């Protein structure tokens, strides 16, 4: 067999391992999916009335707000699930099994690609569940099938980027606890962006950050695709951010993974 | 194969972490089909040696051949030939025993039928059939070690590295493990193991090398090494420092502990030599509070070969 065949075969084996581990440890997946669902319900049913009125839309109120925050909640979902990625990568690195993999003639990056693809599947499932709940509580998208596909593409691109970030977090951490804390600030990004309130309602410094951070163009693009608001240059920015984060974090993760394991 | 190359050949192996020299010029040769034990205290460099020979880390200098291949130039060829069971259990705790073995079969690129056969065979051989479908978290320490070793064997390696294979096991699991290791060499496999226990090396190994502070201080068959150990020691405890002083002067080859008022003298523990010893103490009218006889252990080996018990040496690092 050629080395390319081995690369695919070993990566598939590792993916199977990771999916099985998720299956054996369902409480983690449930917790990771549960958190954005709880936030969604909280924001729609507790804050929704007041916040929706502040949006200044035609109908205003709770229904408008459910539409407004769904893209942000989807990004919180991604940020939450990848915390699990960092934890499981760190668990692998702190346990003896990684030494076993390193002393076997297998495609070296397979351990990482297994985690990445496994987390992609886990995140897409979580996004599906959260979108379902959003539809139940008043999210009313106007997207065509093509726009849905494009939205899925944008979500997949930013997910892939953020997963590589948390793989690197898992590799750089000495303990599992650190690994679970490192990607935590990602969850705040939708709040410090256009996720829950329009950025022009924020004070200057916060507003500057909110407008230039990577999650804002992603949320604006999703809003545009799903609800028909203006997209402008957001789509291009969203894709550019995804590519830059992916490449930088992939290189960082590769460097961390290949360093002398005894140090 | 008629090639007479040894399973492991190492010359001039060196490794340092920063300024700390961990391995200082190791030379080893292990013939195929034998068990070799690397014996030494904690911090001697045993694990580092295994990590280098098993391609986990790079050496700073030295020439290494594992099954005729050079790990520096062709690590994957070496990895194909070896199996490693490290000091820390290398099993996936969330998977079952069977799934762990299946994972190894897939990573060793066995085809489906061959993999299933090999997994069933190993479960049976390591007495894990009943526990096969239970998650590894529920396994006892002994079962975990057996699974660990079984996983190492899935790819039928020709050279097996075992880093302290019985540390932390109860005496009965340790004996089971010894039998498992002995059975392995029957099939022509070469085993390189590290241990802190002289008894373990003695029980298993064809040849033993003693590692101390990154240097080999002795190498030979268990019998050759034991001939160099006087056969244990007796420990004398005195009521006052005067008695200790007198006795220490009389037995020049002992090692004394002024706080505990004890003196340790090499002695084989036979009645005749004990009688001689007591006779000498009586003749000099030295009062001894207590006498205890100790069979040879790693301490004695180091006491004899390096002049200091290894525990004391280990703490002055």
């Amino acid at each position: 067999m050629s080395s390319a065949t081995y690369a695919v075969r070993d990566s598939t084996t590792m993916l199977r391992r990771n999916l099985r581990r998720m299956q054996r440890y369902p409480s983690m997946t449930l917790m990771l999916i549960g958190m954005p669902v709880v936030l969604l319900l909280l924001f729609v049913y507790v804050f929704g009335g007041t916040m929706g009125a502040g949006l200044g839309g035609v109908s205003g109120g709770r229904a408008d707000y459910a539409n407004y925050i769904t893209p942000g909640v989807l990004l919180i979902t991604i940020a939450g699930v990848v915390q699990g990625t960092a934890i499981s990568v760190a668990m692998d690195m702190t346990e003896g099994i990684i030494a076993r993999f390193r002393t076997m003639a297998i495609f070296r990056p397979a351990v990482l690609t297994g985690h990445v693809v496994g987390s992609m599947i886990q995140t897409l499932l979580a996004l599906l569940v959260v979108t379902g709940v959003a539809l139940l509580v008043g999210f009313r998208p106007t997207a065509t099938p093509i726009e849905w596909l494009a939205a899925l593409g944008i979500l997949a691109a930013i997910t892939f980027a953020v997963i590589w970030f948390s793989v690197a977090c898992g590799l750089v951490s000495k303990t599992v606890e650190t690994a679970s804390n490192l990607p935590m600030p990602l969850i705040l990004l939708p709040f410090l962006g256009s996720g829950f309130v329009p950025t022009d309602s924020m004070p200057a410094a916060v507003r500057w950050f909110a407008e230039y951070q990577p999650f804002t163009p992603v949320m604006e693009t999703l809003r545009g695709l799903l609800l028909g608001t203006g997209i402008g240059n957001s789509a291009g920015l969203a894709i550019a951010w995804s590519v830059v984060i992916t490449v930088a974090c992939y290189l960082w993760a590769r460097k961390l993974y290949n360093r002398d394991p005894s140090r | 194969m008629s090639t007479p190359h040894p399973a492991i050949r190492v010359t001039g192996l060196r490794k340092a972490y920063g300024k700390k020299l961990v391995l200082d010029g190791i030379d080893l040769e292990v013939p195929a089909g034998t068990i070799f034990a690397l014996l030494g205290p904690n911090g001697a460099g045993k694990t580092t040696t295994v990590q280098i020979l098993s391609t986990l880390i790079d050496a700073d200098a030295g020439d290494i051949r594992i099954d005729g291949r050079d790990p520096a130039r062709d690590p994957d060829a070496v990895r194909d030939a070896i199996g490693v069971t490290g000091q820390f259990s290398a099993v996936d705790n969330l998977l079952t025993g069977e799934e762990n073995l299946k994972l190894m079969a897939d990573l060793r690129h066995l085809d489906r039928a061959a993999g299933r056969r090999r997994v069933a065979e190993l479960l049976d051989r390591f007495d894990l059939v009943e526990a096969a479908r239970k998650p590894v978290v529920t396994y006892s320490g002994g079962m975990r070690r057996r699974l660990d070793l079984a996983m190492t064997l899935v790819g039928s390696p020709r050279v097996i590295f075992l880093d302290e294979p019985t540390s932390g096991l109860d005496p009965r699991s340790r004996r089971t493990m010894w039998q498992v290791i002995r059975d392995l060499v029957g099939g022509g496999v070469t085993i390189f193991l590290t241990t802190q226990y002289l008894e373990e090396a003695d029980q298993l190994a064809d040849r033993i090398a003693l590692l101390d502070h990154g240097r080999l201080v002795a190498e030979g068959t268990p019998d050759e090494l034991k001939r160099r150990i006087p056969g244990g020691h007796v420990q004398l405890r005195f009521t006052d420092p005067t008695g200790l002083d007198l006795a220490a002067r009389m037995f020049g080859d002992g090692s004394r502990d002024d706080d505990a008022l004890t003196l340790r003298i090499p002695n084989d523990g036979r009645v005749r030599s004990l009688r001689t010893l007591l006779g000498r103490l009586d003749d000099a009218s030295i009062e001894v509070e207590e006498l205890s006889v100790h069979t040879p252990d790693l301490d004695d080996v180091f006491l004899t070969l390096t002049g200091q018990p290894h525990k004391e040496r280990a703490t002055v690092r």
Side-chain angles (χ1 to χ4, degrees), chain A residues 6 9-10 13-14 16-17 20-21 24 96-97 99-106 108 260-262, chain B residues 17 54 56-57 76 79-80 84 89-92 94-95 99 103-104 106-107 109-110 148 151-152:
Chain A
Y6 278 140
R9 188 170 170 181
D10 291 340
T13 302
M14 289 299 182
R16 244 195 334 263
R17 163 172 180 257
R20 195 161 276 153
R21 283 170 65 91
R24 288 291 144 73
I97 196 147
R100 184 187 286 287
F101 292 148
R102 282 179 197 273
T103 55
M104 294 176 77
I106 55 180
R108 255 179 109 74
D260 194 334
S262 59
Chain B
Y17 286 123
S54 63
L56 202 54
I57 58 177
D76 273 348
R79 288 173 187 147
D80 259 335
V84 190
S89 96
V91 298
D92 189 323
L94 292 181
L95 302 184
E99 285 165 348
L103 176 68
M104 290 301 116
D106 289 341
L107 291 175
H109 309 120
L110 301 183
D148 208 326
M151 285 167 74
T152 300

Side-chain angles (χ1 to χ4, degrees), chain B residues 41-310:
Chain B
N42 277 329
K46 301 192 297 292
T47 298
T48 307
T49 309
V50 170
Q51 285 177 331
I52 292 173
L53 299 186
S54 63
T55 76
L56 202 54
I57 58 177
D58 294 331
D60 293 342
D63 191 61
I64 303 170
R65 290 289 180 284
I66 309 288
D67 200 36
R69 289 93 186 251
D70 182 353
R73 285 171 52 195
D74 195 357
D76 273 348
V78 173
R79 288 173 187 147
D80 259 335
I82 64 169
V84 190
T85 296
Q87 209 168 333
F88 304 102
S89 96
V91 298
D92 189 323
N93 285 317
L94 292 181
L95 302 184
T96 67
E98 191 175 22
E99 285 165 348
N100 265 294
L101 289 168
K102 185 73 185 24
L103 176 68
M104 290 301 116
D106 289 341
L107 291 175
R108 289 285 192 176
H109 309 120
L110 301 183
D111 70 55
R112 196 173 280 265
R116 209 176 300 137
R117 250 195 332 269
R118 188 79 181 130
V119 169
E121 182 191 309
L122 286 166
L123 283 171
D124 184 54
R125 179 161 152 202
F126 286 88
D127 200 15
L128 291 167
V129 177
E130 258 175 69
R133 309 225 159 160
K134 294 188 186 132
V136 176
V137 230
T138 64
Y139 283 25
S140 70
M143 286 162 80
R144 196 178 290 254
R145 280 301 169 92
R146 295 207 300 278
L147 174 64
D148 208 326
L149 188 53
M151 285 167 74
T152 300
L153 297 180
V154 170
S156 311
R158 292 184 290 283
V159 181
I160 297 175
F161 294 95
L162 305 172
D163 193 8
E164 304 204 5
T166 66
S167 69
L169 290 186
D170 61 66
R172 215 179 70 180
S173 307
R174 172 167 295 166
R175 295 203 167 265
T176 314
M177 203 59 170
W178 284 353
Q179 195 49 51
V180 167
I181 294 171
R182 274 190 210 107
D183 292 345
L184 287 177
V185 254
V189 164
T190 309
I191 293 178
F192 183 101
L193 67 90
T194 73
T195 179
Q196 301 194 40
Y197 309 110
L198 178 65
E199 189 199 1
E200 182 160 292
D202 187 16
Q203 284 279 335
L204 295 173
D206 297 303
R207 289 188 78 79
I208 302 175
L210 259 74
L211 189 65
D212 182 46
H213 282 70
R215 286 169 181 276
L216 289 185
V217 290
E219 209 228 305
T221 65
D223 283 340
E224 283 168 3
L225 287 179
K226 270 189 278 182
R227 252 177 266 135
R228 298 175 63 176
I229 309 168
H233 64 265
V234 298
Q235 183 168 294
L236 303 173
R237 194 159 60 79
F238 300 91
T239 42
D240 53 63
T242 330
L244 176 61
D245 277 343
L246 285 171
R249 224 170 296 140
M250 192 162 75
F251 305 100
D253 52 352
S255 78
R256 58 190 282 177
D257 181 335
D258 286 339
D259 294 329
L261 293 179
T262 57
L263 181 66
R264 200 189 251 202
I265 307 158
N267 188 291
D268 61 11
R270 287 167 197 269
V271 174
R272 182 188 295 272
S273 50
L274 283 174
R275 197 175 281 142
T276 316
L277 178 103
L278 292 173
R280 288 179 70 186
L281 288 165
D282 264 352
D283 292 344
S285 305
I286 301 172
E287 193 67 33
V288 178
E289 177 81 1
E290 190 188 274
L291 175 147
S292 51
V293 180
H294 298 262
T295 46
D297 56 19
L298 189 52
D299 264 347
D300 297 289
V301 180
F302 279 87
L303 185 65
T304 314
L305 293 172
T306 66
Q308 274 175 294
H310 79 259

